[in-house]
Amino acid sequence: MGHRAVPFAPDVSVRVGGSLVAIRKWQESRSPEGTPGRSGRNHLRVLAAAGSHPEARVAEVLDQVDLAGAADRRVKGYSMGMRQRLAIAAALLGEPDVLILDEPANGLDPPGIRWMRALVRSEAARGRAVLVSSHLLSEVAQSVDDVVVIAHGVLRGSGPLESVLGGADAPVTRVRAADADRLAALLRERNHFVEADPSGALFVRGASPEVVGEVAAEHRVALAELVAVSRSLEDAFFELTEG
């Protein structure tokens, strides 16, 4: 049985950073899971009609998400990654000023994740604001310029990625010492954040290897390892949300 989409005027229109964002309602679901018997192309055609978008946009977004070759297959035969691409194609139909993606890498294989990363960067380069919500922090760190950290509904941190990570102002040093407990106490006396991992290594935040080495030398603490390590977005997340 055929489906007919009935477009409506925007229910809500708001401006976000000077960009007009219209929220519409229609009788067809945006989700490809809602129409498994329909082809990917027809799913997008329905959404294009409902949103008053030119039908030519359907072919354009299918090419953009690399689904042109599977466009006439039924959605129920799509893999999870293909359905994710189709959902992203639907989001791109209206050429929005603000693109919001929730867990966009979900279901994608490694080449698909690389493609998603490139898509996010290319859309941002076109002048669009791209908001990505994700728990894959290592992936987020490779794609974004700015970070917002929210835990239990509370804003815990925000700013440019380098600022949240700490950059040059918050170095992290891994050190192994013959008397790790004593060295940790000495470093904490100097207001450095120190934590130990199960292997016995100390991670000192806010102190370079040179600073840690000077403290160890001054107090004659023998060292077995002293190296600078990169601080990850996951590290920053837990520091901002725990304690």
Side-chain angles (χ1 to χ4, degrees):
M1 183 175 179
H3 295 263
R4 185 170 67 92
V6 182
F8 291 80
D11 295 289
V12 180
S13 294
V14 296
R15 287 198 173 273
V16 180
S19 300
L20 183 64
V21 179
I23 302 174
R24 296 173 180 263
K25 292 182 180 178
W26 53 76
Q27 293 177 347
E28 290 292 335
S29 169
R30 288 177 179 267
S31 170
E33 282 74 11
T35 55
R38 186 181 294 157
S39 71
R41 188 187 308 277
N42 284 339
H43 175 71
L44 294 176
R45 281 174 173 165
V46 169
L47 296 182
S52 301
H53 307 310
E55 187 171 336
R57 283 291 296 155
V58 171
E60 292 171 2
V61 296
L62 283 168
D63 282 334
Q64 191 171 355
V65 302
D66 199 23
L67 274 182
D72 296 314
R73 289 168 48 188
R74 291 187 177 185
V75 173
K76 67 181 180 181
Y78 281 11
S79 66
M80 182 183 294
M82 293 171 71
R83 292 185 184 214
Q84 187 77 328
R85 288 174 184 256
L86 184 60
I88 292 167
L92 293 170
L93 272 173
E95 300 185 272
D97 293 312
V98 180
L99 181 62
I100 301 175
L101 302 175
D102 182 27
E103 300 290 355
N106 185 39
L108 297 179
D109 57 13
I113 291 174
R114 176 179 288 183
W115 165 82
M116 172 57 64
R117 193 184 305 148
L119 174 72
V120 168
R121 299 303 306 177
S122 67
E123 291 302 307
R126 292 180 183 182
R128 291 189 175 122
V130 184
L131 176 62
V132 178
S133 172
S134 180
H135 293 86
L136 299 177
L137 301 184
S138 60
E139 180 56 37
V140 167
Q142 298 183 62
S143 309
V144 304
D145 299 313
D146 297 276
V147 176
V148 177
V149 178
I150 299 174
H152 305 294
V154 178
L155 177 65
R156 297 300 182 91
S158 64
L161 178 62
E162 287 302 317
S163 174
V164 172
L165 291 180
D169 295 330
V172 180
T173 296
R174 184 176 69 240
V175 58
R176 296 179 187 275
D179 191 345
D181 290 341
R182 181 169 174 242
L183 179 60
L186 291 167
L187 291 166
R188 290 185 180 115
E189 287 176 2
R190 289 162 173 76
N191 297 318
H192 297 305
F193 179 84
V194 183
E195 59 183 351
D197 72 4
S199 73
L202 299 178
F203 288 84
V204 188
R205 306 193 187 283
S208 66
E210 291 79 9
V211 170
V212 175
E214 288 174 2
V215 173
E218 179 183 349
H219 295 274
R220 298 182 179 276
V221 178
L223 302 182
E225 181 184 38
L226 182 64
V227 295
V229 297
S230 299
R231 187 169 185 247
S232 70
L233 185 54
E234 183 177 281
D235 293 331
F237 174 83
F238 284 118
E239 284 184 25
L240 289 167
T241 58
E242 292 183 346

